[in-house]
Amino acid sequence: MATTSATARRARRLVRAITSGLAVALLVTLIAFLVREKFDPLVRLDEGAIRTATAYTRERPALRSALLAWQEITQPIHLYIVMTAVCLWVWLARRRTTLAWWAFVTMMLGWNLALVLKYVVQRARPVVDDPVSHSPGYSFPSGHAANAAIVATVVVLLCWPLLRRGGRVILLVVAATFVLSVCLDRVFLGVHYPSDVTAGVLLGCGLVLASWLGLLGWQPPDHPLHDSLHPHRKEAP
């Protein structure tokens, strides 16, 4: 009976993981469809936001310099160099091999999925009369936004069981601020539309969360992974 119950719980977790992944895929696909079809309200919203944002940046050289610096710092390759070191620490220092490999594989899959989607949708970059910055490649989804969301979500999930309530609140605020700053950077530099960064964040957060639910679903309740989620839980006497 206990084995049947455990199997049922694992099955429910896997169903939640698949459902979450499909829901995110549907949202991103819907935005991509509207982009490909040049849905007029979306196009007008995107282009209006780009004109306003780049005009604001153009009048403030110090802001432009800061945005360009942040663009370079948050290049996906730089984020993943740092996160590879974090995964090694989780593996070697914390002895959480499953978590380390889950984080690394999920991040690499997300990075490449965002690149593949760019070539599927093939949206051109914003066209601005007096551009603030230039970036190569296609526009949808924003690679910077997607990878920032992937990294932030992975860090939250890795650090969550190590922190108390106050630390968790701080972690969420820092992670959300980081992702928002990257999204604003892309729009105010005029290299991505708001819909590009929105899709990037949905893709990044959704992929990691679905992957996490899937990981939990594959593990039995007595697996060390489940214990790592509740490090402060004490056994009943």
Side-chain angles (χ1 to χ4, degrees), residues 121-189:
V121 179
Q122 296 187 7
R123 185 186 201 181
R125 296 275 183 175
V127 177
V128 183
D129 291 336
D130 185 10
V132 177
S133 180
H134 297 277
S135 288
Y138 295 114
S139 189
F140 183 96
S142 166
H144 273 72
N147 289 293
I150 290 169
V151 167
T153 309
V154 166
V155 168
V156 167
L157 292 173
L158 288 179
C159 295
W160 192 263
L162 305 177
L163 302 172
R164 300 288 185 176
R165 179 175 297 179
R168 289 173 176 177
V169 171
I170 294 173
L171 177 64
L172 287 175
V173 170
V174 171
T177 301
F178 170 69
V179 174
L180 179 60
S181 70
V182 173
C183 291
L184 292 175
D185 178 90
R186 311 317 289 149
V187 174
F188 276 84
L189 283 177

Side-chain angles (χ1 to χ4, degrees), residues 28-96:
V28 175
T29 300
L30 175 60
I31 299 174
F33 174 77
L34 295 176
V35 166
R36 288 278 294 182
E37 293 299 313
K38 294 181 170 47
F39 183 59
D40 188 60
L42 179 63
V43 171
R44 285 190 282 108
L45 177 64
D46 275 344
E47 292 182 348
I50 287 295
R51 286 194 298 269
T52 302
T54 53
Y56 185 87
T57 304
R58 197 177 297 111
E59 297 172 356
R60 294 164 176 81
L63 174 62
R64 178 177 179 273
S65 297
L67 293 173
L68 289 172
W70 191 235
Q71 172 182 255
E72 183 60 29
I73 291 170
T74 56
Q75 289 283 350
I77 186 64
H78 298 156
L79 297 181
Y80 289 125
I81 288 173
V82 173
M83 289 305 299
T84 298
V86 170
C87 290
L88 287 172
W89 175 78
V90 171
W91 179 18
L92 300 176
R94 301 293 301 181
R95 304 295 182 186
R96 302 296 185 184

Side-chain angles (χ1 to χ4, degrees), residues 95-99 216 219-231 233:
R95 304 295 182 186
R96 302 296 185 184
T97 304
T98 302
L99 281 175
L216 292 182
Q219 306 299 334
D222 58 349
H223 191 275
L225 174 61
H226 291 267
D227 294 335
S228 73
L229 300 179
H230 305 282
R233 180 177 60 193

Side-chain angles (χ1 to χ4, degrees), residues 12-23:
R12 285 195 295 270
R13 290 193 184 103
L14 287 174
V15 169
R16 286 199 296 268
I18 294 170
T19 303
S20 300
L22 290 175

